[in-house]
């Protein structure tokens, strides 16, 4: 099918004979599935405004095979029967675009699935046929990375600023970053109306000539480190023979570049080989081969000594467009003393080009090249373009110019540098053995020895430690112990480990008023943990138990009777109650649902309040028995006993003052009432007869059968009854205790509490080492049960490295919520003593000093990264904010923005040196 013309006016009507919505959904779903099976570079996708697309989805109905969109991004909900108008992309197209070319620009701040969606070409053609409208915004599918390629849609092609040297006018051209340099020459010459053989295009980064760009069919804009809004310079050569300027012979052979600027020094400050005019022959590191690397690095070592008098290490990194996350991480790494010492020497013998898990040594060479520039350029800011190009090649997730996580980049760099510097050329196959109750020292040594047999590098020597992991099966009690290496420690903030939950406890034997209790439990804990915390809070007796239930719209939605059910299934806005019952064998469950006439003036009966639950022990059951239990549960609500203390000690649904309210209950209510049929009148109304009417109902509360005193109830494990209230009961009982049910979590209360507290680094470490159950998505396969179990996990530190990195987990992500914690974490700068946390008893102290911090300011998506780093030689701290570097006092480096902390162990004796050698 031919793509319809893009010049359709927005107000064009839809097709005269629209097909049914179900048929539209079926066709689109099939086309989407078909396109997912035929991914290849060059496929076209189209950008559609999510405002229009979400309306269409609501019209046809969402299905699992369709695209997922954020419905909240639409400007209103429409009835399912409303057919949307023509496709309208006007809200995502940027105004005043001066790009030369046929493609329209869209706003750069847009988010996929929130502001726009991407549909395959076939889907766009169908939607355009059905609805008309537009304009069309085609985008190509490109491949990124090396080895196992990743496909992505290039929503934002590169915009390059072309400065014409003839009149200094500036034009903008748009190309894919996968376009070749020949395509760039062709487009620029077409826009400027010049002959290609007379054109010379320069890399004009920061408005200064860097290198002449060669019209090549093999080098892409991405290879040449072209970035968004990159400046290039167009010059026209006087000589009509373009080969003398472009480096390309008329018949296509590549020649050496002819100097077009005054000759420069032949020494490359970056440690890479150069030509006589000072320009490198390419953007990559493919020139680092054989002895050229060694000679270059040797020259660099001599050159480095020249700059030592200018206090190296104070150069900033230019922001290439939302690359502050990268600059922050790099400044921390290039100020790590062992890495500085290593990369300022000749490290060519350490490069492992044949490691299939590495990057042919190119990442290590790019990092070393950048480190040398930073330590030899004095205070001149460096543009890390070459490094950014390598990063995009080997880690496509960091390509483009969006903000990313500095800790994720650090993790990739440490692992990538390790593999590029791995001294092990052939990794042996090693089968891991179970601990089998062997001594920890023996198992730990064996695990570390096996690890070193496959992993041996500078990163392992300096940055890797070992921790002990203990898993316990909750069913059979199987214990599995492993010793695993780590590169950094991701420490949760205590507020991210525990969860504050408010649950109302009902005393089903009539011994007390319903009481809300606020407890702290593990966020990924289970119902058993919640019951234990509630039992401690309400002083549960040894012969009692708690039955948890989720209440929704005054009905019990479900009982939480599985002790291993994860608490993550309970949302903060829900109402959870606990019924305090006598422990023992399984009995008949009685559930009482409250009803009253609407507005107490007759009419349909309306459900209100919280249901009451207890266990019946009599068998068989009569209506009189059920009345007895109902009056027993309602006894604490009698106004004669509770009017003087109604809601005392409660504020916004939370207890203020512990269990004082509970202890204030009169002695007559402190023991369960043993009500019988003969004494029921004494506990009924003041007239001697209860006006409550009970009716038997089913699970869905649809049926209603009145219960008389002599009625025989059919035996069942679950009996549900209606309790009809009248105005008389409202006068005798305080029903507010049934109505005012607090939610599981109240945001205002917890935020007010956490803002008054500061968290220490030690409390974060202890939270990391706390035993907790695995999440439901991280089940452990028990070798004894032969099934996946939600085991409990306990981590212990076994040995610590020379360079210890702490990652503070300030960001939390879930399907429904993204959050950042700005909690202040108090961390030591000097003498961080972790000796007591290390389980390996070898008598060595583990004391550390801080030397670098990666900071994150602001919220999600729009934040900013900076770094603090200490120059060990002069014992001073500096603030690295992209290209700006300034001194800072030690007292200023502590803030709530601290995100990743870098520590160096005091002393030179490494715990693992002997085992490594």
């Amino acid at each position: 099918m031919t793509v319809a013309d893009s010049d359709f006016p927005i107000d064009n009507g839809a097709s005269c004979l629209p097909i049914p919505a179900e048929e539209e959904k079926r066709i689109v779903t099939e086309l989407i599935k078909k396109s997912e099976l035929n991914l290849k570079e060059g496929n076209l996708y189209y950008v559609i405004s999510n405002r229009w697309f979400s309306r269409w989805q609501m019209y046809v109905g969402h299905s699992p095979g369709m695209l997922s969109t954020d419905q909240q991004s639409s400007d209103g909900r429409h009835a399912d029967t409303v057919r949307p108008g023509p496709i309208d992309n006007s809200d995502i197209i940027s105004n005043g675009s001066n790009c030369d070319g046929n493609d329209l620009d869209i706003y750069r701040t847009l988010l996929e699935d929130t502001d726009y969606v991407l549909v395959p070409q076939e889907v766009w053609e169908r939607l355009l046929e059905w609805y008309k409208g537009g304009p069309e915004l085609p985008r190509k599918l490109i491949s990124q990375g090396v080895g196992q390629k990743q496909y992505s849609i290039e929503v934002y092609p590169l915009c390059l600023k072309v400065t014409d040297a003839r009149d200094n006018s500036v034009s903008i051209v748009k190309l894919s970053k996968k376009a070749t340099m020949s395509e760039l020459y062709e487009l620029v010459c077409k826009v400027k109306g010049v002959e290609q053989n007379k054109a010379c295009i320069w890399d004009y980064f920061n408005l200064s000539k860097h290198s002449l760009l060669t019209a090549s069919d093999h080098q892409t804009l991405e290879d040449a480190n072209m970035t968004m809004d990159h400046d290039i310079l167009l010059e026209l050569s006087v000589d009509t023979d373009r080969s003398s300027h472009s480096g390309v012979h008329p018949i296509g052979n590549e020649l050496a570049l002819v100097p077009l600027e005054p000759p420069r020094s032949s020494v490359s400050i970056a440690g890479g080989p150069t030509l006589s005019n000072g320009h490198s022959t390419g953007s990559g590191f493919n020139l680092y081969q054989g002895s050229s690397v060694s000679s270059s690095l040797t020259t660099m070592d001599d050159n480095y000594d020249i700059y030592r008098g200018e206090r190296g290490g104070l150069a900033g990194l230019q922001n290439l467009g939302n690359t502050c996350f990268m600059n922050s991480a790099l400044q921390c790494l290039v100020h790590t003393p062992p890495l500085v010492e290593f990369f300022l020497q000749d490290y060519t013998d350490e490069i492992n080009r044949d490691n299939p898990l590495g990057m042919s040594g190119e990442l290590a060479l790019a990092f070393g090249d950048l480190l040398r520039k930073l330590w030899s350029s004095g205070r001149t800011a460096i543009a890390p373009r070459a490094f950014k190009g390598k990063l995009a090649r080997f880690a496509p997730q960091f390509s483009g110019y969006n903000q990313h996580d500095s800790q994720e980049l650090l993790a990739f760099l440490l692992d990538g540098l390790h593999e590029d510097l791995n001294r092990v050329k052939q990794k042996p196959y090693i089968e891991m053995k179970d601990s089998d109750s062997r001594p920890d020292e023996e198992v730990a040594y064996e695990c570390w020895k096996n690890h070193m047999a496959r992993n041996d590098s500078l990163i392992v020597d300096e940055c890797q430690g070992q921790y002990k992991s203990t898993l316990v099966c909750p069913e059979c009690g199987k214990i599995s112990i492993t010793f695993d290496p780590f590169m950094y420690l991701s420490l949760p903030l205590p507020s991210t480990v525990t969860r504050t939950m408010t649950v109302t406890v009902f005393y089903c034997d009539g011994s007390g008023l319903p009481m809300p209790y606020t407890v702290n439990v593990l966020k990924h804990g289970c119902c058993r943990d919640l019951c234990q915390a509630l039992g401690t809070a309400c002083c549960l007796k040894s012969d009692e138990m708690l039955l948890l239930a989720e209440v929704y719209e005054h009905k019990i939605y479900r009982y939480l009777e599985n002790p291993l059910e994860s608490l993550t299934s309970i949302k903060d806005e829900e109402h959870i109650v606990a019924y305090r019952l006598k422990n023992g064998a399984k009995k008949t469950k009685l559930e009482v649902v409250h009803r009253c006439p609407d507005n107490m003036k007759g009419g349909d009966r309306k459900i209100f309040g919280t249901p009451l639950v207890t266990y019946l022990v009599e068998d068989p059951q009569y209506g009189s028995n059920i009345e007895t239990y109902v009056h027993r549960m309602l006894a604490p609500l009698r106004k004669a006993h509770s009017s003087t203390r109604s809601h005392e000690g409660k504020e916004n649904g939370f207890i203020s003052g512990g269990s004082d309210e509970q202890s204030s209950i009169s002695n007559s209510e402190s023991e369960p009432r043993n009500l019988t049929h003969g004494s029921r009148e004494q506990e009924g109304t003041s007239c001697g007869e209860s006006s409550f009417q009970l009716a038997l109902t089913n699970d869905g509360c649809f049926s209603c059968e009145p219960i008389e005193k002599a009625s025989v109830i059919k035996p069942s494990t679950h009996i549900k009854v209606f309790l009809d209230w009248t105005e008389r009961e409202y006068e005798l009982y305080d029903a507010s205790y049934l109505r005012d049910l607090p939610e599981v979590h109240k945001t205002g209360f917890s935020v007010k509490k956490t803002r008054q507290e500061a968290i220490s680094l030690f409390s974060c470490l202890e939270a990391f080492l706390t035993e907790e159950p695995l999440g439901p998505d991280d089940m452990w396969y028990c070798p004894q049960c032969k099934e996946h179990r939600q085991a409990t996990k306990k981590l212990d530190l076994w040995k610590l490295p020379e360079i210890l990195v702490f990652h503070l987990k300030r960001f939390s992500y879930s399907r429904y919520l993204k959050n950042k914690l700005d909690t202040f974490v108090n961390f030591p700068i000097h003498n961080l003593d972790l000796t007591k946390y290390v389980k390996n008893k070898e008598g060595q102290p583990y004391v550390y000093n801080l030397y670098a911090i990666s900071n994150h300011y602001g919220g999600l998506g729009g934040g900013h990264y900076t770094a603090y780093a200490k120059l060990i030689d002069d014992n001073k701290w500096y603030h690295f904010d992209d290209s700006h570097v300034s001194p800072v006092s030690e007292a200023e480096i502590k803030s709530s923005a601290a995100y990743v902390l870098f520590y160096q162990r005091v002393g030179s004796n490494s715990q693992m040196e002997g085992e490594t050698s």
Side-chain angles (χ1 to χ4, degrees):
M1 182 179 294
T2 305
V3 180
D5 185 42
S6 63
D7 294 328
F8 282 121
I10 298 300
D11 59 352
N12 271 3
S15 299
C16 297
L17 298 174
I19 63 176
E22 295 79 8
E23 182 66 10
E24 288 187 14
K25 180 173 71 173
R26 184 191 66 79
I27 294 174
V28 169
T29 302
E30 290 180 357
L31 290 176
I32 291 175
K33 292 179 179 179
K34 180 181 177 181
S35 68
E36 291 175 349
L37 298 175
N38 189 32
L39 292 178
K40 62 181 180 180
E41 195 165 8
N43 285 357
L44 277 183
Y45 284 76
Y46 284 77
V47 182
I48 299 181
S49 168
N50 193 33
R51 186 176 65 176
W52 183 90
F53 192 78
S54 60
R55 291 174 182 169
W56 177 80
Q57 276 198 330
M58 285 187 283
Y59 166 65
V60 301
H62 185 74
S63 65
M66 292 173 59
L67 299 171
S68 175
T69 64
D70 185 356
Q71 298 289 350
Q72 294 180 357
S73 66
S74 61
D75 58 353
R77 290 187 177 272
H78 296 253
D80 292 343
T81 57
V82 176
R83 178 180 172 87
I87 301 172
D88 184 3
N89 288 330
S90 60
D91 63 309
I92 61 174
I93 298 175
S94 60
N95 295 325
S97 172
N98 62 340
C99 288
D100 293 311
N102 297 322
D103 295 333
L104 294 172
D105 275 346
I106 65 175
Y107 292 106
R108 293 188 185 178
T109 57
L110 303 182
L111 298 176
E112 186 178 357
D113 296 336
T114 300
D115 303 301
Y116 67 87
V117 296
L118 294 165
V119 300
Q121 180 178 1
E122 295 79 6
V123 173
W124 166 259
E125 291 172 350
R126 285 302 184 102
L127 292 175
L128 196 61
E129 176 188 350
W130 297 332
Y131 293 94
K132 303 296 187 285
E136 62 182 30
L137 302 168
R139 296 294 186 265
K140 285 186 178 181
L141 186 71
I142 62 174
S143 63
Q144 294 181 279
V146 294
Q148 185 176 2
K149 294 186 177 182
Q150 299 181 11
Y151 289 102
S152 64
I153 301 169
E154 191 176 28
V155 179
Y156 296 99
L158 290 181
C159 283
L160 305 180
K161 298 179 180 179
V162 184
T163 300
D164 194 332
R166 296 172 294 180
D167 56 5
N168 288 328
S169 62
V170 178
S171 302
I172 295 178
V173 296
K174 286 202 314 178
L175 290 95
S176 168
K177 59 185 175 183
K178 293 296 183 179
T180 64
M181 301 306 295
S182 295
E183 293 173 320
L184 173 64
Y185 263 91
E186 181 181 352
L187 179 58
V188 170
C189 292
K190 178 181 178 181
V191 170
K192 289 298 182 180
V194 299
E195 297 180 19
Q196 228 175 305
N197 61 349
K198 294 183 179 181
C200 295
I201 299 180
W202 291 84
D203 182 347
Y204 203 46
F205 183 77
N206 280 351
L207 301 183
S208 62
K209 288 184 179 181
H210 284 266
S211 61
L212 184 64
L213 301 177
T214 303
S216 169
D217 292 328
H218 305 290
Q219 187 183 37
T220 65
L221 272 63
E222 184 179 37
D223 297 334
N225 299 318
M226 294 287 114
T227 60
M228 185 67 75
D229 298 325
H230 199 98
D231 287 288
I232 57 178
L233 178 67
L234 172 65
E235 287 184 338
L236 296 184
S237 61
V238 178
D239 185 1
T240 57
D241 184 6
R242 182 176 171 271
S243 62
S244 62
H245 300 283
S246 66
V248 179
H249 191 271
I251 61 173
N253 295 329
E254 295 189 6
L255 304 177
L257 293 177
V258 176
L260 296 177
E261 287 189 318
R264 304 178 183 178
S265 169
S266 61
V267 176
S268 169
I269 202 172
T274 59
L275 300 179
S276 58
N277 64 345
H279 298 300
S280 67
T281 57
S283 63
F285 285 82
N286 55 331
L287 297 178
Y288 286 104
Q289 299 289 341
S291 60
S292 62
V293 181
S294 178
S295 61
S296 171
L297 294 175
T298 304
T299 306
M300 182 58 214
D301 292 335
D302 298 335
N303 212 33
Y304 169 69
D305 292 333
I306 300 175
Y307 289 95
R308 292 191 67 90
E310 297 187 19
R311 187 177 295 174
L314 293 182
L317 288 168
Q318 294 181 14
N319 194 318
L320 304 179
N322 282 331
T323 57
C324 60
F325 77 98
M326 182 183 75
N327 294 346
S328 173
L330 287 174
Q331 290 289 6
C332 292
L333 287 182
V334 301
H335 286 87
T336 298
L339 297 185
V340 176
E341 180 181 357
F342 177 84
F343 283 102
L344 288 182
Q345 298 175 0
D346 184 357
Y347 57 90
T348 53
D349 291 340
E350 298 282 340
I351 299 294
N352 187 341
R353 299 181 182 275
D354 302 321
N355 186 357
L357 299 180
M359 282 145 271
S360 302
E362 293 187 36
L363 181 67
L365 288 169
F367 177 80
D369 180 65
L370 181 61
L371 183 144
R372 287 168 174 268
K373 286 182 179 179
L374 290 171
W375 278 89
S376 62
S377 64
R379 293 177 179 267
T380 304
I382 302 298
R385 297 171 54 215
F387 183 84
K388 177 72 166 59
K390 289 295 178 184
L391 185 66
R393 181 184 176 193
F394 293 108
Q397 65 269 29
F398 299 115
S399 64
Y401 303 95
N402 294 326
Q403 186 70 279
H404 295 280
D405 192 321
S406 68
Q407 187 273 333
E408 293 180 2
L409 176 63
L410 278 167
F412 171 79
L413 289 179
L414 288 174
D415 186 64
L417 290 174
H418 156 65
E419 296 295 354
D420 273 3
L421 300 174
N422 199 343
R423 304 179 186 111
V424 179
K425 305 300 182 182
Q426 296 291 333
K427 293 188 177 185
Y429 171 77
I430 299 175
E431 185 175 353
M432 302 303 296
K433 301 178 182 178
D434 196 272
S435 57
D436 290 332
S437 302
R438 291 182 292 166
D440 286 347
E441 290 76 11
E442 178 183 342
V443 180
Y445 174 78
E446 179 184 90
C447 290
W448 186 257
K449 181 180 178 182
N450 293 338
H451 175 66
M452 290 296 298
R454 296 173 54 87
N455 303 276
D456 183 13
S457 69
L458 167 74
I459 305 301
V460 174
D461 297 341
E462 303 292 342
C463 303
Q464 283 197 359
Q466 189 181 33
Y467 61 75
K468 174 185 176 182
S469 177
T470 305
L471 290 169
V472 181
C473 178
E475 298 296 328
C476 67
K478 166 69 176 177
I479 299 176
S480 175
I481 298 177
T482 58
F483 290 84
D484 303 307
F486 67 85
M487 199 99 67
Y488 52 87
L489 297 177
S490 290
L491 303 186
L493 276 61
S495 55
T496 64
V497 176
T498 60
R499 179 183 181 186
T500 300
M501 301 185 72
T502 300
V503 178
T504 302
V505 177
F506 283 81
Y507 295 77
C508 299
D509 57 2
S511 62
L513 289 166
M515 298 284 290
Y517 290 91
T518 301
V519 295
N520 288 321
V521 294
L522 290 173
K523 182 170 289 187
H524 295 286
C526 55
C527 291
R528 178 177 55 193
D529 302 325
L530 178 59
C531 287
Q532 291 176 351
L534 285 174
T536 303
C538 69
C539 302
L540 195 70
K541 298 177 183 179
S542 58
D543 61 341
E544 291 179 316
M545 61 173 288
L546 292 176
L547 174 64
L548 297 177
E550 179 182 339
V551 177
Y552 177 71
E553 292 184 350
H554 311 302
K555 298 178 185 178
I556 293 180
Y557 177 69
R558 63 182 179 128
Y559 290 98
L560 304 174
E561 297 183 281
N562 180 9
L564 297 179
E565 180 172 352
S566 175
L567 295 178
T568 56
S569 63
I570 301 176
K571 308 303 177 186
D572 289 344
E573 66 276 6
E574 292 180 340
H575 299 89
I576 303 297
V577 298
Y579 299 101
R580 187 169 178 167
L581 306 165
K582 287 293 182 181
N583 204 353
K586 194 72 173 178
K587 311 175 186 71
T588 299
K589 188 184 301 177
L590 173 65
E591 180 181 328
V592 181
V593 181
H594 308 280
R595 293 197 311 175
C596 69
D598 192 13
N599 296 325
M600 300 303 295
K601 295 180 181 179
D604 294 336
R605 290 198 170 271
K606 184 178 179 181
I607 297 177
F608 79 99
T610 305
L612 300 176
V613 175
T614 190
Y615 282 145
L616 303 176
V617 294
E618 289 82 1
D619 197 15
Q621 303 296 339
Y622 294 94
S624 58
N625 302 124
I626 294 179
E627 279 196 47
T628 300
Y629 281 96
V630 170
H631 284 293
R632 180 182 300 174
M633 290 187 288
L634 289 175
L637 305 183
R638 288 285 298 272
K639 290 184 179 179
H641 302 295
S642 59
S643 60
T644 60
R645 62 180 184 278
S646 178
H647 293 284
E648 288 180 1
K650 286 204 303 180
E651 180 181 357
N652 297 328
F654 292 89
I655 299 173
S656 58
S659 58
D660 294 340
E661 181 181 350
Q662 182 182 356
S663 61
S664 66
I665 299 175
S666 61
N667 293 333
S668 62
E669 295 177 355
S670 60
E671 295 296 330
R673 291 173 173 81
N674 186 17
L675 301 179
T676 61
H677 179 67
S679 61
R680 177 180 53 77
E681 289 80 8
Q682 300 176 11
E683 296 296 334
T685 67
S686 57
C687 301
E689 184 65 32
S690 171
S691 60
F692 276 124
Q693 177 62 49
L694 299 176
L696 189 66
T697 185
N698 56 10
D699 289 339
C701 295
F702 298 124
S703 63
C704 185
E705 180 183 348
I707 299 178
E708 303 297 337
K709 298 176 185 177
S711 299
V712 178
I713 308 302
K714 183 179 179 180
S716 175
T717 57
H718 186 189
I719 298 176
K720 181 181 290 189
V721 299
F722 281 135
L723 175 62
D724 291 333
W725 287 65
T726 64
E727 292 186 4
R728 170 180 271 175
E729 270 62 49
Y730 269 95
E731 294 176 358
L732 294 175
Y733 294 90
D734 187 355
S736 62
Y737 285 94
L738 301 175
R739 292 182 182 273
D740 300 339
L741 193 64
E743 294 179 350
V744 169
H745 179 70
K746 288 208 170 183
T747 306
F749 179 82
S750 61
V751 168
K752 182 178 179 181
K753 181 178 179 181
T754 49
R755 283 180 180 173
Q756 299 173 351
E757 299 176 354
I759 300 176
S760 71
L761 183 64
F762 294 103
S763 63
C764 296
L765 181 59
E766 289 166 359
F768 173 76
L769 301 175
T770 300
E771 181 181 15
E772 62 178 351
L774 296 176
D777 298 328
D778 191 23
M779 305 284 274
W780 172 63
Y781 183 78
C782 177
Q784 191 162 298
C785 296
K786 305 298 182 183
E787 290 186 16
H788 286 87
R789 302 293 189 188
Q790 192 174 0
T792 57
K793 184 176 183 179
K794 176 73 169 68
L795 294 178
D796 293 294
L797 301 180
W798 188 256
K799 60 177 66 173
L800 299 180
E802 292 295 302
I803 300 298
L804 183 57
V805 181
F806 289 112
H807 163 224
L808 303 179
K809 298 173 70 173
R810 295 191 178 276
F811 301 100
S812 60
Y813 302 92
S814 67
R815 183 177 179 182
Y816 305 100
L817 182 66
K818 298 179 181 179
N819 186 38
K820 184 203 172 185
L821 295 174
D822 289 314
T823 308
F824 176 75
V825 177
N826 189 14
F827 49 87
I829 299 176
H830 302 284
N831 299 322
L832 170 64
D833 192 352
L834 301 176
T835 307
K836 68 175 183 179
Y837 294 99
V838 180
K839 296 300 182 181
N840 186 10
K841 304 301 181 182
E842 292 187 353
Q844 295 189 34
Y846 288 93
V847 182
Y848 291 83
N849 289 336
L850 186 73
Y851 71 87
I853 306 173
S854 176
N855 303 302
H856 181 270
Y857 298 90
L860 294 169
H864 180 61
Y865 287 94
T866 67
Y868 292 125
K870 182 178 182 180
L871 266 64
I872 306 299
D873 292 340
D874 59 4
N875 197 30
K876 292 182 180 179
W877 284 89
Y878 293 88
H879 184 211
F880 294 85
D881 186 356
D882 289 332
S883 58
H884 181 69
V885 181
S886 58
V888 64
S889 66
E890 191 172 88
E892 297 178 81
I893 65 174
K894 286 189 177 183
S895 71
S896 59
Y899 183 44
V900 185
L901 308 174
F902 293 75
Y903 284 89
Q904 184 179 23
R905 188 175 174 186
V906 176
S908 58
N909 293 328
S910 174
Q911 179 184 3
M912 291 175 282
E913 276 183 357
E915 296 177 15
T916 302
S917 61

